[in-house]
Amino acid sequence: MTPGTSLQDELLTYIVDDFVDVELDAELDRDSDLLTSGIVDSLGVMRLVRLVEERSGIRIPPEDITIQHFLTVGRICDYVVQRTADSGLAEHSTAS
């Protein structure tokens, strides 16, 4: 991410630039359905996973690549926050 850019903003920009038709651009927000709407297909999900891993520094295990976590940009960001928190807790508990 560039300084001052949130993961949410970066994901929205990436999706608009790479996946969305011009006429849908104004309607895309953190709660837009990416998967069942057809904006992002299965290959697109893998591209989003790679971007999230690169930008957040977390590894997303295959079992976490689900509609629950990748349906919307909001859910992706919530997943990253939770995964980051879980990683911090795991590191802290093993250090004790």
Side-chain angles (χ1 to χ4, degrees):
M1 285 184 294
T2 58
T5 303
S6 71
L7 178 60
Q8 176 178 299
D9 292 341
E10 190 164 344
L11 285 169
L12 287 169
T13 299
Y14 180 74
I15 292 165
V16 167
D17 290 348
D18 288 15
F19 298 105
V20 177
D21 292 331
V22 175
E23 60 272 7
L24 294 176
D25 181 11
E27 298 175 25
L28 188 68
D29 63 22
R30 86 174 258 117
D31 298 317
S32 296
D33 181 332
L34 303 174
L35 304 177
T36 59
S37 68
I39 294 172
V40 176
D41 61 12
S42 57
L43 181 58
V45 170
M46 298 314 296
R47 291 170 56 195
L48 288 174
V49 167
R50 188 181 70 232
L51 177 69
V52 169
E53 288 180 332
E54 289 173 358
R55 298 304 189 259
S56 68
I58 63 171
R59 184 179 115 27
I60 301 172
E63 62 269 15
D64 284 359
I65 303 170
T66 64
I67 196 168
Q68 177 184 358
H69 296 132
F70 285 85
L71 182 64
T72 67
V73 169
R75 286 190 184 186
I76 295 169
C77 293
D78 292 345
Y79 169 78
V80 170
V81 168
Q82 182 62 48
R83 187 91 172 126
T84 302
D86 290 348
S87 295
L89 291 174
E91 289 174 17
H92 180 68
S93 65
T94 58
S96 302

